[in-house]
Amino acid sequence: MASLQHSPSLHQTWLSNASTQVDFMPRLGMYRNSTFQRGISFLVRAEQISTAPTSTHQDRPGRRQLLAMWTTLAPWILLSDQKYASFAAESRKGFLAVMDKKDGYSFLYPFGWQEVAIEGQDKVFKDVIEPLESVSVNMIPTSKQDIRDLGSPQEVAETLIKKVLAPPSQKTKLVEAKEHDEDGKAYYTFEFIAQAPNYTRHALSTICIGNGRFYTLTTGANERRWGKMKDKLQTVVDSFRIVNV
């Protein structure tokens, strides 16, 4: 594993002290045993994909029978979980799909980004050359049933940006916050800018409540590359879906 220490990633900006955590969690209906962490180093996971050698031998009868059986059964297997099949059908060129059936969410991320391991985050993918270009998914338990129970999109976005998504030392600006519905679930999506002394990150987040959890997906890029990346990042945010598990 290759360690990327002290990278200026937004994923290193979780809450660092108990007093702020206790003050923030009741606003979002979060349980007190939920934790956020800031300043966490992350590890690039070197995924090695092995390709099976191609056989030059003719298929044996047993293999032909298995192939015939798969041809018959495959449509039924794929259709047995339509909520994920429909998401896969929406995958776009240049993106790869993540479908987490255990935790009940799915999204797309740009082809070429690598998965990295960050303590406290459920999924993180990032560009290994541009450290600010990344997407992360975080989940914490909540007693709330609907994102609208927390307040307006603007109110919730401001709280998350100031308390969770950016450290107190950064100057932040909420650009836009809005609500939309997907499959009967309400989502808040917002755009914001976080300015540090040596860089500025332009980011998009979407949040939703389901399965007794508060889900947050955040993606972004360096401000200097925002014009080039914004359409891709918008695709990432728009693809995020929560399903019942």
Side-chain angles (χ1 to χ4, degrees):
M1 293 185 180
S3 180
L4 301 180
Q5 300 288 341
H6 308 301
S7 176
S9 170
L10 188 66
H11 307 305
Q12 296 178 335
T13 58
W14 300 100
L15 296 182
S16 59
N17 61 76
S19 60
T20 304
Q21 182 177 327
V22 171
D23 174 66
F24 171 67
M25 293 193 308
R27 301 183 190 180
L28 300 186
M30 299 173 186
Y31 300 129
R32 288 180 178 268
N33 62 354
S34 303
T35 59
F36 294 98
Q37 298 184 19
R38 173 183 290 143
I40 304 170
S41 302
F42 50 83
L43 305 177
V44 176
R45 199 179 301 162
E47 302 287 352
Q48 296 184 346
I49 303 175
S50 60
T51 304
T54 303
S55 175
T56 58
H57 299 287
Q58 293 181 346
D59 288 342
R60 297 178 180 178
R63 292 186 62 188
R64 287 198 296 268
Q65 292 173 1
L66 288 175
L67 289 173
M69 183 182 297
W70 170 249
T71 302
T72 302
L73 294 177
W76 297 99
I77 295 173
L78 293 175
L79 290 174
S80 66
D81 200 348
Q82 294 182 358
K83 59 192 176 184
Y84 291 102
S86 62
F87 171 76
E90 296 175 359
S91 296
R92 299 188 182 185
K93 183 178 180 181
F95 292 84
L96 297 176
V98 174
M99 294 178 284
D100 192 323
K101 296 183 180 182
K102 177 182 177 182
D103 293 318
Y105 67 84
S106 59
F107 65 94
L108 303 176
Y109 68 93
F111 181 81
W113 286 12
Q114 283 193 328
E115 185 172 6
V116 298
I118 300 182
E119 185 182 356
Q121 300 294 296
D122 197 62
K123 284 281 191 303
V124 180
F125 293 87
K126 73 182 296 294
D127 189 297
V128 296
I129 298 176
E130 295 289 342
L132 295 182
E133 293 177 13
S134 58
V135 58
S136 67
V137 176
N138 178 265
M139 304 173 303
I140 52 176
T142 179
S143 60
K144 299 294 184 181
Q145 300 297 316
D146 191 292
I147 196 71
R148 290 167 291 199
D149 295 338
L150 307 178
S152 69
Q154 291 76 15
E155 291 171 337
V156 178
E158 288 281 6
T159 300
L160 279 174
I161 293 168
K162 293 178 180 179
K163 299 291 187 179
V164 176
L165 298 178
S169 60
Q170 291 187 1
K171 181 179 179 181
T172 61
K173 175 185 177 182
L174 175 63
V175 178
E176 182 184 24
K178 55 188 178 181
E179 174 188 340
H180 70 279
D181 288 345
E182 293 288 347
D183 300 324
K185 286 185 172 62
Y187 294 74
Y188 286 174
T189 301
F190 52 94
E191 176 183 346
F192 67 97
I193 297 172
Q195 185 176 358
N198 57 338
Y199 68 90
T200 300
R201 191 172 197 252
H202 206 134
L204 299 169
S205 288
T206 185
I207 55 178
C208 184
I209 289 178
N211 304 313
R213 301 167 181 168
F214 182 95
Y215 295 83
T216 304
L217 178 144
T218 299
T219 186
N222 195 304
E223 181 65 48
R224 64 179 171 78
R225 285 177 52 83
W226 176 251
K228 181 178 180 179
M229 293 297 299
K230 64 179 180 180
D231 289 341
K232 286 186 178 181
L233 301 182
Q234 189 66 57
T235 296
V236 174
V237 165
D238 291 344
S239 71
F240 190 60
R241 297 288 185 275
I242 302 300
V243 295
N244 295 327
V245 292

